[in-house]
Every structure is written in structure tokens, then in C-alpha cells.
Amino acid sequence: MQIHTLSAYETTAQEFFGKLAEWDADLVLDVRLKNTNQLAGFTKRDDLAYFVEKIQHADYAHDVLFSPATTVLERYLRGTMDWEDFFANYHREMVQRDAVPQFFEKYGRYQSVAIVGTATQKRRSHVEILQQMIEDSQAGLPDTALEQVTARDEAADAAREAEKEARRHHRKSA
């Protein structure tokens, strides 16, 4: 099973569904706590469920088992809790809820899962923590640590920058 993360914010429908197609996602798992207001645009729960089925021919599930507690999320969004504290609180919640084993019970039959969260250019999302916890479990590794997620993020950022630079170089030489 491949696990991917995707933000419902700061993205176009073309980018969003392009990623789903690239990943050949057969499940879009929406783990946002609040996904029904008009500000969600095309990623509003009922609209997203429709589009995922019609465009990607995949299943859609909204599952708040994997959402952070409202109080923790609000503190993080307001800036009164930093990423490290948010990570620790969310991680603890997922362990207490026995979330990762439940993920495999509910969604283990899928091959490519896109988990939808709320990352922005300025704010990280709980989905990256959840992704790492699931991947660690699949690999039989010990529980996720903040350092692992940070290292993976830094490696992904470096790869994206290298890809951008390669494209720039290719355009200049063409």
C-alpha cells in the first residue's frame, strides 16, 4: 500500500486531481475535522466525494478518527501551540485511539491511499504525522518520532528543489 498526503488548501482542482491520477489513488481519505463549509471550495465533503468518484473512479471516506482533537487543532491554528507540541499531542491521540491498527482494518484493502489534510505554505498538517505512523507500521518499525518526519520533509524539499533546478536548466538549454 502506498500512502500519499494532499492538502485541500492552496491547490487547484487540476493540481489536486492530477496528483490523484499520478498516484493512481483508489481511496481518498479525508481526515479534516471541518470539511463542510463553503471555504473548502471543490474539496467540500459532499462535492469531493462526488468528484473523486466521477473523476478518479476511486472511493472517498471522511473519517474523523484520524483528526486531531478540536482543542489541540484550534491552539495550533491560532499559533498558541508550535509544531512540536502539536506533533506530540496528535501523536499521543492516535496512539490512545489505536488509530493505526484501525486504519489497516478499515482501509487495508486499498493499494494507493491519498490522505487529505490542511497544510498550507505556512502551516503543516497532521496528515504527515499520520502518514509516517502508517508507513512505520507497514515497515515493522518502531513508533514514529518527530525527527523522522522532519528528516523526511527535508529530503522531500531537497528533491523538489533539485527537480525545479533541473527544469530551469532544461529550459535554459532548450
Side-chain angles (χ1 to χ4, degrees):
M1 172 190 297
Q2 295 293 310
I3 305 294
H4 312 278
T5 63
L6 192 56
S7 181
Y9 295 169
E10 298 178 351
T11 188
T12 66
Q14 182 178 359
E15 293 166 340
F16 189 93
F17 288 99
K19 286 288 187 187
L20 295 180
E22 177 185 323
W23 299 329
D24 196 22
D26 54 349
L27 173 66
V28 174
L29 179 60
D30 189 346
V31 297
R32 295 175 292 165
L33 193 57
K34 300 175 183 177
N35 65 354
T36 57
N37 68 35
Q38 291 298 333
L39 296 176
F42 74 90
T43 67
K44 196 165 98 176
R45 182 188 60 212
D46 295 342
D47 293 340
L48 188 55
Y50 174 80
F51 292 138
V52 164
E53 180 184 341
K54 293 298 180 189
I55 296 172
Q56 182 60 30
H57 309 292
D59 291 337
Y60 171 87
H62 177 235
D63 197 332
V64 295
L65 169 70
F66 307 103
S67 301
T70 304
T71 54
V72 171
L73 181 60
E74 290 300 323
R75 288 177 55 212
Y76 178 61
L77 294 177
R78 287 189 184 123
T80 60
M81 176 184 284
D82 64 15
W83 170 251
E84 289 77 15
D85 289 338
F86 178 76
F87 182 103
N89 278 276
Y90 176 75
H91 183 271
R92 185 172 39 257
E93 283 180 53
M94 292 302 99
V95 170
Q96 289 170 347
R97 294 179 195 174
D98 207 25
V100 172
Q102 289 187 61
F103 171 86
F104 287 109
E105 287 173 22
K106 292 178 174 185
Y107 308 113
R109 69 185 181 277
Y110 293 97
Q111 297 301 307
S112 181
V113 178
I115 304 174
V116 178
T118 58
T120 67
Q121 290 181 12
K122 296 180 181 180
R123 183 185 69 233
R124 298 170 81 174
S125 176
H126 63 286
V127 296
E128 67 183 272
I129 304 165
L130 179 60
Q131 177 187 28
Q132 189 66 51
M133 292 176 77
I134 293 166
E135 289 176 348
D136 287 351
S137 179
Q138 280 182 303
L141 297 173
D143 208 2
T144 304
L146 177 60
E147 294 77 22
Q148 291 170 286
V149 174
T150 301
R152 187 188 67 187
D153 289 346
E154 289 171 356
D157 288 345
R160 277 192 293 275
E161 285 302 315
E163 185 178 315
K164 284 180 189 176
E165 186 59 33
R167 277 184 281 186
R168 274 187 236 130
H169 180 16
H170 177 72
R171 277 185 247 144
K172 287 180 182 177
S173 64

